[in-house]
Amino acid sequence: MSTAGPKAHYSLVIIGAGPAGLAAAAAAAGHGLDIALLDEQRAPGGQIYRAIESIPAERARLLGSEYRRGEDLVGAIRNSDVEYFPDTQIWSLNREREIGLVHGRSAAMISADQVVLAGGAIERPVPYPGWTLPGVMNAGAGQILLKAQGIVPANGVVLAGSGALLLLLAWQYMRAGVQIKALLDCTPMHNHLRALPYLPRALLARHYLLKGLQYKLDLKRAGISTLQNVSDMQADGEQRVESVSYRHRGRQHTIKTDLLLTHFGVIPHIQLSQAAGCRHYWDKSQQCWRPQVDEWGNSSVNGILIAGDGVGIGGARTAEHAGRLTALEAVRALGRVSQHERDRLARNDRKWMREEQHIRPFLEAFFHLPGKLLAAPADDTVVCRCEEVTAGAIRKAISEGHDDSNQVKFLTRCGMGPCQGRQCAESVTHIVAGATGKSLPEVGLFRVRPPITPLTLEQLGSLFPDETE
Amino acid sequence: MFKRLDSNPSKRVTITIDGIPHEAVAGETAAAAVLLSGIDCTRTTPVSATPRAPFCLMGVCYECLMVIDGQPNRRACQEYVAEGMRIETQRGPGALPE
Ligand code: FES
């Protein structure tokens, strides 16, 4: 929108223009505050409502009705006084709420009285043999190609893993006429039992369950059946993936394919909240690290609030409600509404958010990943994709007495490549815990230091214009 | 590996991938254009020179690093095609721009 770039200071900066960030920005607008909404993408919507403003109607229909919800969220921002900056990468955030960013070609530091982090989730990286081969991608990547660009697999696809997105993508591909060679569900069978106690509460949000069942039924009618309880899935090939092999009902199988899309659930993207020094904890049920927040989204760092899937996986609707709640809290902290007024304005969102949560314990139990998948990659499986560190190399470091994540990182370079540990931090924690018998919190996560995204020399130079001119 | 749903898209631009001209569609990312072109490997790793390709398409995995308009280490999934864009496979850590 603006090529001028953000100003040096705002009363409120919101980072991320998905459902949480968009809802937060809309709720904070109209209170006479100076607000900036920063987002790394070129257009608003986050991953879930990606391309919502530009998508052709035909393609939007393929995606299902829930996708359309993004239109109102984006519309509210377009008609507000919020300054929206797309194409903006954040490379640092500290306790003083100073934000390092790159907008266009130049880097800048800005500050804010209140910051709302709405960075959303990433797909959980799970290392398995062959996951680095060209032709192996995240299911989310397949969905991004479909949503944003109308691009689909040309020669069929194998879908594998566990989680709601896998089913949704299969359904969307089916509607787009894509050949699904196999749908390999790696969810362990005993998860059905594990999830059973949560079913009564989940029935309070039965529309989610019904939708899932409808997708399954539609797929079945189209002749696409899901193989349940698949294990030992791996991708094989020399220069690229050529086939996928797996175990099903005690037998080994192989399918030829030039594309494998996998999904193992989503986890909060915590790089920024970690950089800011917010306290995080391990959530056993969601199997991920989460920043600690109170009911209004306040993190352990004063003036930094977090909303949406970046706090814990709750889905797009929960993210919207949480976005509005954190915005109201920030507006209160900035003295624009009283506590009483905040509570009044928040009433509906709090109620709806509680209702949204009915389904979560069931989903979390149902899609609980087996420890074997997370903590026991074979020794020759690459864990750190950037620096090509194998599980064996990590175990060797552990056996030499390096028994926390950061020591392993220092010794093996695991997590020191361009992605800065985004794709291996979790696995390293699991492997160390598995090998030492320590708990995950004891093993800890990689420390995160700015810049959290690589900066070029040119961008660094633009931070100090006087010296380079 | 991939194809466009719409076989007759508007707003085409011409780009080159490893020196070979390709048609892309405005609004597409460089990564999408490369995947459509049928090229398997978008970079080789600095450590063992094995082939890699885009993995997440949302900016977090850094597997899609390519040389774009002479600049190495650009995430192809975060760059949008433009008329005349030059996209090249990145070998190892990526040579410095001339
Ligand atoms: S494909 Fe993951 S960063 Fe581009």
Side-chain angles (χ1 to χ4, degrees):
Chain A
M1 191 155 76
S2 153
T3 45
K7 291 180 298 209
H9 183 83
Y10 289 88
S11 32
L12 173 61
V13 166
I14 298 161
I15 299 175
L22 289 169
H31 288 280
L33 295 169
D34 220 4
I35 306 171
L37 173 62
L38 314 179
D39 189 52
E40 62 180 3
Q41 285 195 58
R42 210 185 211 193
Q47 298 304 340
I48 189 104
Y49 304 126
R50 198 171 169 127
I52 188 76
E53 289 178 311
S54 57
I55 196 165
E58 179 86 359
R59 202 191 304 156
R61 258 197 304 281
L62 282 179
L63 298 174
S65 56
E66 196 67 11
Y67 175 75
R68 275 276 139 100
R69 215 179 150 78
E71 282 171 1
D72 294 342
L73 283 169
V74 169
I77 293 309
R78 292 294 192 195
N79 299 321
S80 76
D81 54 1
V82 171
E83 291 180 40
Y84 162 58
F85 297 96
D87 273 325
T88 305
Q89 302 280 335
I90 310 298
W91 50 267
S92 82
L93 171 68
N94 63 19
R95 306 180 81 91
E96 281 70 50
R97 297 177 302 280
E98 291 164 334
I99 302 160
L101 56 86
V102 174
H103 179 75
R105 295 196 85 101
S106 46
M109 287 297 288
I110 69 169
S111 62
D113 299 322
Q114 296 278 305
V115 173
V116 170
L117 298 182
I122 60 174
E123 277 183 274
R124 185 199 315 276
V126 170
Y128 56 87
W131 77 310
T132 55
L133 286 171
V136 178
M137 300 169 85
N138 281 336
Q143 210 191 28
I144 286 169
L145 285 173
L146 171 61
K147 272 183 198 169
Q149 286 140 2
I151 293 171
V152 295
N155 314 314
V157 59
V158 173
L159 298 169
S162 177
L165 178 68
L166 204 62
L167 183 61
L168 175 62
L169 181 63
W171 184 79
Q172 291 169 337
Y173 273 168
M174 174 205 78
R175 285 162 59 99
V178 173
Q179 183 206 357
I180 297 170
K181 295 183 171 182
L183 182 48
L184 308 176
D185 190 346
C186 302
T187 312
M189 221 46 184
H190 60 246
N191 279 12
H192 293 193
L193 274 181
R194 184 194 274 268
L196 205 55
Y198 307 104
L199 186 59
R201 186 171 168 208
L203 287 172
L204 295 172
R206 67 176 76 77
H207 55 283
Y208 283 112
L209 297 175
L210 292 176
K211 190 160 265 175
L213 289 172
Q214 185 65 49
Y215 291 161
K216 283 202 166 197
L217 197 67
D218 290 348
L219 284 166
K220 206 167 174 180
R221 284 205 187 116
I224 302 154
S225 60
T226 310
L227 299 187
Q228 310 274 0
N229 211 16
V230 166
S231 66
D232 303 292
M233 192 268 302
Q234 68 173 65
D236 303 299
E238 278 298 317
Q239 298 293 304
R240 62 168 347 280
V241 65
E242 289 158 24
S243 63
V244 176
S245 59
Y246 59 94
R247 274 188 92 71
H248 183 239
R249 296 206 180 124
R251 295 190 38 199
Q252 199 66 24
H253 303 264
T254 303
I255 323 171
K256 287 215 168 317
T257 186
D258 71 354
L259 182 63
L260 167 65
L261 298 179
T262 61
H263 176 73
F264 296 97
V266 289
I267 58 174
H269 191 183
I270 56 174
Q271 208 88 4
L272 255 191
S273 49
Q274 273 191 289
C278 302
R279 207 174 296 129
H280 290 71
Y281 69 100
W282 176 257
D283 181 330
K284 266 191 201 155
S285 179
Q286 292 198 355
Q287 299 180 288
C288 63
W289 296 92
R290 303 174 58 172
Q292 212 155 41
V293 296
D294 69 9
E295 56 179 329
W296 295 98
N298 292 297
S299 75
S300 63
V301 175
N302 191 24
I304 296 182
L305 301 93
I306 316 175
D309 275 358
V311 168
I313 304 308
R317 292 201 180 202
T318 296
E320 253 180 64
H321 302 310
R324 280 194 281 271
L325 295 180
T326 50
L328 289 170
E329 168 65 358
V331 171
R332 183 206 60 79
L334 292 165
R336 296 302 166 114
V337 297
S338 67
Q339 186 169 324
H340 178 77
E341 186 65 2
R342 176 201 67 183
D343 292 352
R344 191 185 65 78
L345 290 168
R347 203 170 296 142
N348 281 338
D349 281 298
R350 301 192 71 167
K351 178 167 161 283
W352 292 328
M353 196 159 143
R354 265 198 307 278
E355 289 169 4
E356 281 296 316
Q357 267 148 18
H358 290 322
I359 191 77
R360 302 316 303 187
F362 176 82
L363 289 181
E364 286 162 19
F366 193 86
F367 292 121
H368 192 88
L369 293 180
K372 192 178 158 221
L373 203 58
L374 298 174
D379 274 348
D380 55 357
T381 299
V382 168
V383 172
C384 168
R385 302 176 64 107
C386 299
E387 296 289 327
E388 298 177 77
V389 183
T390 60
I394 293 168
R395 293 196 181 101
K396 181 159 172 282
I398 299 165
S399 71
E400 286 163 1
H402 305 278
D403 59 355
D404 80 48
S405 292
N406 288 294
Q407 285 180 29
V408 169
K409 175 176 176 180
F410 186 70
L411 204 76
T412 62
R413 292 197 55 79
C414 190
M416 288 193 188
C419 96
Q420 307 245 349
R422 284 173 178 82
Q423 297 294 297
C424 67
E426 258 218 333
S427 302
V428 170
T429 314
H430 281 291
I431 294 170
V432 177
T436 59
K438 285 187 176 185
S439 69
L440 293 163
E442 272 177 305
V443 173
L445 263 176
F446 292 155
R447 274 185 292 277
V448 172
R449 291 208 182 82
I452 61 164
T453 57
L455 286 178
T456 63
L457 284 176
E458 182 196 356
Q459 287 161 345
L460 266 179
S462 66
L463 275 176
F464 312 100
D466 300 343
E467 284 145 62
T468 49
E469 258 160 28
Chain B
M1 200 168 22
F2 287 102
K3 64 176 183 194
R4 281 196 193 93
L5 277 176
D6 178 358
S7 52
N8 192 20
S10 54
K11 288 188 274 173
R12 294 169 199 239
V13 295
T14 304
I15 58 171
T16 62
I17 303 174
D18 288 331
I20 299 166
H22 283 268
E23 264 198 352
V25 174
E28 243 160 43
T29 61
V34 170
L35 289 168
L36 280 170
S37 78
I39 287 177
D40 283 338
C41 158
T42 55
R43 73 171 181 119
T44 58
T45 58
V47 183
S48 69
T50 50
R52 294 284 175 85
F55 183 66
C56 75
L57 292 185
M58 57 181 280
V60 296
C61 76
Y62 289 73
E63 281 292 7
C64 62
L65 297 179
M66 296 187 81
V67 183
I68 296 182
D69 289 336
Q71 285 207 335
N73 292 312
R74 310 300 304 168
R75 282 175 295 174
C77 73
Q78 301 296 302
E79 306 275 339
Y80 288 82
V81 294
E83 183 61 38
M85 182 183 257
R86 286 175 296 131
I87 307 173
E88 289 158 277
T89 305
Q90 176 162 322
R91 310 257 161 224
L96 287 172
E98 304 103 54

